[in-house]
Amino acid sequence: MAIHHLQTPLDDAAVLQLQVGDEVYLSGVIYMARDAAHKRFVDTLSAAQALPVDLRGQVVFYGGPGPAKPGHAIGVVAPTSAYRMDPYATVLFDYGVRGAIGKGPRGPAIRSACQLNRAVCFSAIGGVSATLFACIRSAEVIAYEDLKTEAVQRLVIENFPLLVTNDAHGRDMYAEEVEKYRALLKKA
């Protein structure tokens, strides 16, 4: 397991060096969007229309912001359960999204979508919202303002701490950990 300091947008070289379990400190621009925005993204692509922001090469963060306090770019930010975006993520990876940030395991289709599209899934640890919040330098609603807290936001981040959970080589950290646990149970 390695530690990487990466800058967005992500290219093939950046994604292909990552392995499940690696720590990543991500800097640059990411796009925060949740369920409702993802549905709109996929509906827009299905209608052969342009997205309101070009997400090719970009990283999408499945997070929700709290209300911003005076003097802060955004309120405390928490990652949401990544599996909820699985029905949309494969379409967005096919479109060119290079990374996704959420929490928890993903479904089996994500493993092959990451491998096919040279994409990666990261987990942001739930419960460290204050740490994530401190890494956000600016936040701006850029699309779907009517969705309120689920509107698409452009975040500028610095050293955003992440863990690689699905890599571009077809590995899934959660699935591998389950297999290790099963092997331990058989030995007991």
Side-chain angles (χ1 to χ4, degrees):
M1 292 179 217
I3 297 173
H4 305 272
H5 292 268
L6 298 179
Q7 183 77 31
T8 63
L10 298 179
D11 60 19
D12 279 354
V15 171
L16 291 173
Q17 72 179 326
L18 300 175
Q19 301 287 326
V20 296
D22 286 356
E23 293 178 42
V24 173
Y25 293 90
L26 192 63
S27 297
V29 172
I30 61 174
Y31 295 90
M32 185 164 57
R34 288 179 34 203
D35 311 54
H38 275 73
K39 181 176 182 339
R40 284 196 190 169
F41 287 154
V42 170
D43 290 347
T44 300
L45 291 172
S46 295
Q49 297 175 347
L51 294 181
V53 60
D54 187 359
L55 294 174
R56 288 175 284 216
Q58 302 300 327
V59 175
V60 178
F61 174 39
Y62 311 144
K69 293 181 180 179
H72 294 281
I74 194 169
V76 173
V77 174
T80 193
S81 299
Y83 76 89
R84 292 184 5 215
M85 262 40 82
D86 283 3
Y88 313 114
T90 55
V91 174
L92 292 174
F93 287 149
D94 288 345
Y95 169 76
V97 168
R98 297 307 292 268
I101 303 167
K103 68 177 180 183
R106 307 298 300 260
I110 297 302
R111 183 186 303 187
S112 58
C114 284
Q115 190 171 18
L116 177 68
N117 295 293
R118 293 187 175 127
V120 63
C121 292
F122 302 103
S123 278
I125 308 302
V128 296
S129 299
T131 300
L132 299 177
F133 166 74
C135 298
I136 299 172
R137 301 294 174 244
S138 69
E140 174 189 8
V141 173
I142 59 165
Y144 310 145
E145 191 171 340
D146 62 303
L147 296 178
K148 308 218 185 291
T149 60
E150 289 201 38
V152 179
Q153 293 195 43
R154 181 183 185 273
L155 305 179
V156 176
I157 59 170
E158 186 175 338
N159 292 321
F160 204 72
L162 303 167
L163 184 65
V164 177
T165 52
N166 293 85
D167 64 28
H169 310 288
R171 293 180 60 205
D172 179 324
M173 186 187 78
Y174 289 102
E176 290 178 14
E177 290 302 315
V178 167
E179 288 306 313
K180 287 179 190 175
Y181 181 70
R182 286 184 180 149
L184 287 173
L185 288 177
K186 286 181 182 178
K187 290 180 181 178

